[in-house]
Amino acid sequence: MPLFFLLFLGMGFDAAFKFSNMPPGITYIAFLAPGIIGMVLLFNSITSGLSVIWDRQFGFLKEIMVTPVSRVSIVLGKTLGGMTTALLQGFFILLIAVGIGFKIKGVLGFLSSVLCMILIATSFVCLGLIFASLINDMQGFHLIVSLFTFPIFILSSALFPLERLPLWLKYLTYLNPLTYGVDGLRYSLIGMAHFSLTLDLFVLVGFCTFMIGLSTYFFRSVEVDY
Amino acid sequence: MEYAIQIEKLSKKFDDFTAVSSIDLNIEKGEIFGLLGPNGAGKTTIIKMLATLLQPTSGFAAVWHHNILKDPAAVRRSIGIVFQDPSLDTELTGRENLDFHARMYGLNKEERERRINEVLDLVELKDRADVFVKFYSGGMQRRLEIARGLMHYPQVLFLDEPTLGLDAQTRRRVWEYIKRLNKADSLGHWVCRSFFFCF
Ligand SMILES: Nc1ncnc2c1ncn2[C@@H]1O[C@H](COP(=O)(O)OP(=O)(O)O)[C@@H](O)[C@H]1O
Ligand SMILES: [Mg+2]
C-alpha cells in the first residue's frame, strides 16, 4: 500500500505538476519519500497497540498486569517491540526509495533520519497503547485508530510542502507532531526543511517523552475485568 | 498485625450494578480460607480487587500488610494467583510460559531453571514442558497455571475455582497437588503461607 503511494503518487504528481517552490534539483518523489516513511511509521506504530488487545482477549494481560513489574517497564517493553517492527517497515520503504533513484545526503543525514524514525515510532506506539488501554475490542480500536491516523497523516506535510498552504491550515499542521517528524526526516534525507532539524528534534523528543509518560499513566489505571 | 488479608467495607460497582457490597473480612496468616458462593456472587471480583487488577469503588483492603490502593506493587510481589479464566500464552510452550513469569518476578537464571523444574515436577508436566500450550488439554493448562502461581514463592496464593471445568479424575489430582504443598511444609520446604480459595 505505502509502496503504491510512493510510486504512483510520486510519479503521477511529478509528471503533472511542478511545485513552484520546490528547490531546483528536488523531484517530487524525493520530496515524497520521507513523507511516506513517516506514514508507514505512523500506521505501523499506532496499530501495534493491538498486541495489548490480543493479550486481553486471550487472558494473558491479567498475567502481565498482576506481576510486580513496574508499569513504565511494561509500556517501555511494548514500545520497544512495536517500535522495532515499525522501524523495519520504515527501512524497507527507504530501501525501495533508494532503489528507484532516491539519494541520501551523507552518513550523518542517515543517522539523524534513524533518530527521527525512532522518535516518531516510539511516540505513536505510545498513542496506540493509550487507545488499547481505553478500548477493549478490536473493532473499536480499529475505528479510533483510523479516525486519528488519517488526519495526522494528511496534516503532516507528508504529501505537499507547507509553504503555500492557507494560513489556518498551516497552523493546524504546526500542531501536528508528525509534521516535525516528517520535516526532520526530509532534512536528514534530502536536505530540505521547513523548520530546522534542531526544532524538529526538540519537538519530537518532547512529544516522545510526553507520550511515554501519558501511556504509563493510562496503563496504571488499566483494569483487567475479564 | 497478624493478618494475611484484611478487608474493610470493600465494595465494587460496575456502573449501577453492585457486584460486591461492603465486605468485611480478616484472614489470618497460615489460614486456608475458602470463599463459597453461587455464580455471580462476586467472588472473582473480590479476588481481582485483592490482586490489584480492579479498583474498588470504596473501602479498603490490605494483603500481607500492603495497602492494595497505596502500594499495589508490594501487593503484587506478595501474591500468586491462579485465575478462573485462561491466562496462558498459548503460542509459547509450558516451559516458556513459566520462564516468562519468572523473569517478570526478577528471578535469576539459575533460580529460574531450578524453580521451573521443581514446579513442573510438582504438577507432573515435565515430559510435556516443551510442547506448545495450545496443544495442552484443559487439565494440563490448569496444572501449568497452578505451577506458575507458585514458582515465585508467594506469601498468599489465590486460587479462583481451580478445579472448574476439569473432569473428576483431574480434579482429584489437582487437589492432591494442593495437599502436597501442605506436606512439603512439614518436610521443612517452603510452602505458601496462606491460601484463598474460591468455589
Ligand atoms: N466488568 C464487569 N462489568 C459489569 N459487570 C460485571 C463485570 N465483572 C463482573 N460483573 C458482574 O458482577 C457479578 C459478580 O461477578 P463475579 O465476581 O465474576 O462472580 P463469581 O466469581 O462469584 O461467579 C456478576 O453478576 C457479573 O455479571
Ligand atoms: Mg468467578
Side-chain angles (χ1 to χ4, degrees), chain A residues 58-60 62-69 71 74 220 222-226, chain B residues 12 48 51 53-55 76-77 83 85-89 100-101 104-105 148:
Chain A
F58 285 105
F60 195 61
K62 336 188 246 295
E63 152 73 358
I64 296 172
M65 296 303 279
V66 86
T67 63
V69 171
R71 309 295 110 159
I74 296 177
R220 224 165 250 147
V222 161
E223 296 198 319
V224 193
D225 48 13
Y226 59 90
Chain B
K12 178 69 184 179
K48 284 193 169 170
L53 290 174
L54 282 178
Q55 293 277 330
R76 292 178 193 131
R77 238 175 279 125
F83 294 102
D85 312 310
S87 62
L88 296 163
D89 189 333
F100 177 86
H101 183 84
M104 297 291 267
Y105 283 81
R148 185 179 66 180

Coordinates of all heavy atoms in Angstrom, one line a residue, chain A residues 58-60 62-69 71 74 220 222-226, chain B residues 12 48 51 53-55 76-77 83 85-89 100-101 104-105 148:
Chain A
F58 N -7.0 -13.0 25.0 CA -6.6 -14.3 25.3 C -6.4 -14.5 26.8 O -6.0 -15.6 27.3 CB -5.3 -14.7 24.6 CG -5.6 -15.0 23.1 CD1 -5.3 -14.1 22.1 CD2 -6.2 -16.2 22.8 CE1 -5.6 -14.3 20.8 CE2 -6.5 -16.4 21.5 CZ -6.2 -15.5 20.5
G59 N -6.6 -13.4 27.6 CA -6.5 -13.5 29.0 C -5.0 -13.3 29.6 O -4.8 -13.3 30.8
F60 N -4.1 -13.1 28.6 CA -2.7 -13.0 29.1 C -2.4 -11.7 29.7 O -1.4 -11.6 30.5 CB -1.8 -13.3 27.9 CG -0.3 -13.6 28.3 CD1 0.0 -14.7 29.0 CD2 0.7 -12.8 27.8 CE1 1.3 -15.0 29.4 CE2 2.0 -13.0 28.2 CZ 2.3 -14.1 29.0
K62 N -4.0 -10.2 32.1 CA -4.0 -10.3 33.6 C -2.7 -10.8 34.1 O -2.3 -10.3 35.2 CB -5.1 -11.3 34.1 CG -6.3 -11.7 33.2 CD -7.2 -12.5 34.1 CE -7.4 -13.9 33.6 NZ -8.0 -14.0 32.3
E63 N -2.1 -11.8 33.5 CA -0.9 -12.4 33.9 C 0.2 -11.3 33.9 O 1.0 -11.2 34.8 CB -0.5 -13.6 33.1 CG 1.0 -13.9 32.9 CD 1.6 -14.5 34.2 OE1 0.9 -14.7 35.2 OE2 2.8 -14.8 34.1
I64 N 0.2 -10.4 32.9 CA 1.2 -9.4 32.9 C 1.0 -8.3 33.9 O 1.9 -7.9 34.7 CB 1.2 -8.7 31.5 CG1 1.6 -9.7 30.4 CG2 2.1 -7.5 31.5 CD1 1.5 -9.2 29.0
M65 N -0.3 -7.9 34.1 CA -0.6 -6.8 35.0 C -0.5 -7.2 36.5 O -0.4 -6.3 37.3 CB -2.0 -6.3 34.7 CG -2.2 -5.7 33.3 SD -1.1 -4.4 33.0 CE -1.9 -3.0 33.8
V66 N -0.6 -8.5 36.8 CA -0.6 -8.9 38.2 C 0.9 -9.1 38.7 O 1.1 -9.2 39.8 CB -1.4 -10.2 38.4 CG1 -0.6 -11.4 38.1 CG2 -2.0 -10.2 39.8
T67 N 1.9 -9.0 37.7 CA 3.2 -9.1 38.2 C 3.7 -7.8 38.7 O 3.2 -6.8 38.4 CB 4.2 -9.5 37.0 OG1 4.1 -8.5 36.0 CG2 3.8 -10.8 36.4
P68 N 4.8 -7.9 39.6 CA 5.2 -6.6 40.2 C 6.0 -5.7 39.3 O 6.5 -4.6 39.7 CB 6.1 -7.1 41.4 CG 6.5 -8.5 41.0 CD 5.4 -9.0 40.1
V69 N 6.2 -6.1 38.0 CA 7.0 -5.3 37.1 C 6.3 -3.9 37.0 O 5.1 -3.8 36.9 CB 6.9 -5.9 35.7 CG1 7.5 -5.0 34.6 CG2 7.7 -7.2 35.7
R71 N 4.9 -0.4 35.8 CA 4.0 -0.1 34.6 C 4.9 0.6 33.6 O 4.6 0.4 32.4 CB 2.8 0.7 35.0 CG 2.0 0.1 36.2 CD 1.4 -1.2 35.9 NE 2.0 -2.3 36.6 CZ 1.5 -3.5 36.8 NH1 0.3 -3.7 36.4 NH2 2.2 -4.4 37.5
I74 N 6.5 -2.1 31.6 CA 5.5 -2.7 30.7 C 5.4 -1.9 29.4 O 5.5 -2.3 28.3 CB 4.2 -3.0 31.3 CG1 4.4 -4.0 32.5 CG2 3.2 -3.5 30.3 CD1 3.1 -4.2 33.3
R220 N -1.4 2.5 34.2 CA -1.5 2.4 35.7 C -3.0 2.1 36.0 O -3.3 1.4 37.0 CB -1.0 3.6 36.4 CG -0.1 3.2 37.5 CD 0.7 4.4 38.0 NE 2.1 4.1 37.7 CZ 3.0 5.0 37.5 NH1 2.6 6.3 37.4 NH2 4.2 4.7 37.2
V222 N -5.3 0.8 34.1 CA -5.9 -0.3 33.3 C -6.5 -1.3 34.3 O -5.9 -1.7 35.2 CB -4.9 -1.0 32.4 CG1 -5.5 -2.4 32.0 CG2 -4.6 -0.2 31.2
E223 N -7.8 -1.6 34.1 CA -8.4 -2.7 34.8 C -8.6 -3.9 33.9 O -8.9 -3.7 32.8 CB -9.8 -2.2 35.4 CG -9.7 -1.0 36.3 CD -11.0 -0.9 37.2 OE1 -12.0 -1.1 36.6 OE2 -10.8 -0.6 38.4
V224 N -8.3 -5.1 34.5 CA -8.5 -6.3 33.7 C -9.7 -7.0 34.2 O -9.6 -7.7 35.2 CB -7.2 -7.1 33.8 CG1 -7.3 -8.2 32.7 CG2 -6.0 -6.3 33.6
D225 N -10.8 -6.7 33.6 CA -12.0 -7.2 34.2 C -12.6 -8.5 33.6 O -13.6 -9.0 33.9 CB -13.1 -6.2 34.3 CG -13.4 -5.4 33.0 OD1 -12.8 -5.9 32.0 OD2 -14.0 -4.4 33.1
Y226 N -11.8 -9.1 32.7 CA -12.2 -10.5 32.3 C -11.0 -11.2 31.8 O -9.9 -10.6 31.6 CB -13.3 -10.5 31.2 CG -13.0 -9.7 29.9 CD1 -12.3 -10.4 28.8 CD2 -13.3 -8.4 29.8 CE1 -12.1 -9.7 27.7 CE2 -13.0 -7.7 28.6 CZ -12.4 -8.4 27.6 OH -12.1 -7.7 26.4
Chain B
K12 N -17.6 -2.9 45.2 CA -17.3 -2.7 43.8 C -18.6 -2.6 43.0 O -19.4 -3.5 43.1 CB -16.5 -3.8 43.2 CG -16.1 -3.7 41.7 CD -15.2 -2.6 41.4 CE -14.9 -2.4 39.9 NZ -14.0 -1.3 39.7
K48 N -10.0 -10.2 42.3 CA -9.4 -9.2 41.4 C -9.0 -7.9 42.0 O -8.0 -7.3 41.7 CB -10.2 -9.0 40.1 CG -10.1 -10.2 39.2 CD -10.7 -9.8 37.8 CE -10.3 -10.9 36.8 NZ -11.1 -10.8 35.6
A51 N -6.0 -8.6 44.1 CA -4.8 -8.8 43.3 C -4.5 -7.5 42.5 O -3.6 -7.5 41.6 CB -5.1 -9.9 42.3
L53 N -6.1 -5.9 40.2 CA -6.5 -5.9 38.8 C -7.7 -5.0 38.6 O -8.0 -4.5 37.5 CB -6.7 -7.3 38.3 CG -5.5 -8.1 38.1 CD1 -5.8 -9.5 37.7 CD2 -4.5 -7.5 37.1
L54 N -8.5 -4.8 39.7 CA -9.7 -4.0 39.7 C -9.6 -3.0 40.8 O -9.1 -3.3 41.9 CB -11.0 -4.8 39.9 CG -11.5 -5.6 38.7 CD1 -12.8 -6.3 39.1 CD2 -11.9 -4.7 37.5
Q55 N -10.0 -1.7 40.5 CA -10.0 -0.7 41.6 C -11.4 -0.8 42.4 O -12.4 -0.8 41.7 CB -10.0 0.7 40.9 CG -8.7 1.0 40.2 CD -7.7 1.5 41.2 OE1 -8.0 2.1 42.2 NE2 -6.4 1.2 40.9
R76 N 1.5 -7.0 44.7 CA 1.8 -7.9 43.6 C 3.0 -8.8 43.9 O 3.0 -10.0 43.5 CB 2.1 -7.1 42.3 CG 0.8 -6.4 41.8 CD 1.1 -5.6 40.5 NE 0.0 -4.7 40.3 CZ 0.1 -3.4 40.0 NH1 1.3 -2.8 40.0 NH2 -0.9 -2.6 39.8
R77 N 4.0 -8.3 44.6 CA 5.1 -9.0 44.9 C 4.8 -10.2 45.9 O 5.5 -11.2 46.0 CB 6.2 -8.1 45.5 CG 7.5 -8.1 44.7 CD 8.5 -7.1 45.2 NE 8.2 -5.8 44.7 CZ 8.0 -4.7 45.5 NH1 8.1 -4.8 46.8 NH2 7.8 -3.5 44.9
F83 N -5.9 -17.9 38.0 CA -7.2 -17.2 37.6 C -8.3 -18.2 37.2 O -8.0 -19.4 36.9 CB -6.9 -16.4 36.3 CG -6.0 -15.2 36.6 CD1 -4.7 -15.2 36.2 CD2 -6.5 -14.1 37.2 CE1 -3.8 -14.2 36.4 CE2 -5.6 -13.0 37.4 CZ -4.3 -13.0 37.0
D85 N -10.3 -17.8 34.6 CA -10.2 -17.9 33.1 C -8.8 -18.2 32.7 O -7.9 -17.8 33.3 CB -10.8 -16.7 32.5 CG -12.1 -16.2 33.1 OD1 -13.0 -17.1 33.2 OD2 -12.2 -15.0 33.5
P86 N -8.7 -18.7 31.4 CA -7.3 -19.0 30.9 C -6.5 -17.7 30.9 O -6.9 -16.6 30.7 CB -7.6 -19.4 29.5 CG -9.0 -19.8 29.4 CD -9.7 -19.1 30.5
S87 N -5.2 -17.9 31.2 CA -4.3 -16.7 31.2 C -2.9 -17.1 30.8 O -1.9 -16.5 31.2 CB -4.2 -16.2 32.7 OG -3.7 -17.2 33.5
L88 N -2.8 -18.1 29.9 CA -1.5 -18.6 29.4 C -1.3 -18.0 28.0 O -2.3 -17.8 27.3 CB -1.5 -20.1 29.4 CG -1.6 -20.8 30.7 CD1 -1.9 -22.3 30.5 CD2 -0.3 -20.7 31.5
D89 N -0.1 -17.9 27.6 CA 0.2 -17.5 26.2 C 0.3 -18.9 25.5 O 1.3 -19.6 25.6 CB 1.5 -16.8 26.1 CG 1.8 -16.2 24.7 OD1 1.2 -16.8 23.8 OD2 2.5 -15.2 24.6
F100 N 8.9 -16.9 31.3 CA 8.4 -15.5 31.2 C 8.0 -15.0 32.6 O 8.4 -13.9 33.0 CB 7.3 -15.5 30.2 CG 6.7 -14.1 30.1 CD1 7.2 -13.2 29.2 CD2 5.5 -13.7 30.8 CE1 6.6 -11.9 29.1 CE2 5.0 -12.5 30.7 CZ 5.5 -11.6 29.9
H101 N 7.2 -15.8 33.2 CA 6.7 -15.5 34.6 C 7.9 -15.2 35.5 O 7.9 -14.2 36.2 CB 5.8 -16.6 35.1 CG 5.2 -16.3 36.4 ND1 4.0 -15.6 36.5 CD2 5.6 -16.6 37.7 CE1 3.7 -15.5 37.8 NE2 4.6 -16.1 38.5
M104 N 9.5 -12.0 34.9 CA 8.8 -10.8 35.4 C 8.9 -10.6 36.9 O 8.7 -9.5 37.4 CB 7.3 -11.1 35.0 CG 6.9 -11.2 33.6 SD 7.2 -9.6 32.7 CE 5.5 -9.0 32.8
Y105 N 9.2 -11.7 37.6 CA 9.4 -11.6 39.0 C 10.9 -11.5 39.4 O 11.2 -11.6 40.6 CB 8.8 -12.8 39.7 CG 7.3 -12.7 39.8 CD1 6.5 -13.0 38.7 CD2 6.6 -12.2 41.0 CE1 5.1 -12.9 38.8 CE2 5.3 -12.1 41.0 CZ 4.5 -12.4 39.9 OH 3.1 -12.3 40.0
R148 N 2.7 -22.2 37.8 CA 3.1 -20.8 37.6 C 2.9 -19.9 38.8 O 3.7 -19.1 39.2 CB 2.5 -20.2 36.4 CG 3.0 -18.9 36.0 CD 2.3 -18.4 34.8 NE 0.9 -18.1 35.0 CZ 0.0 -17.7 34.1 NH1 0.5 -17.5 32.8 NH2 -1.2 -17.5 34.4

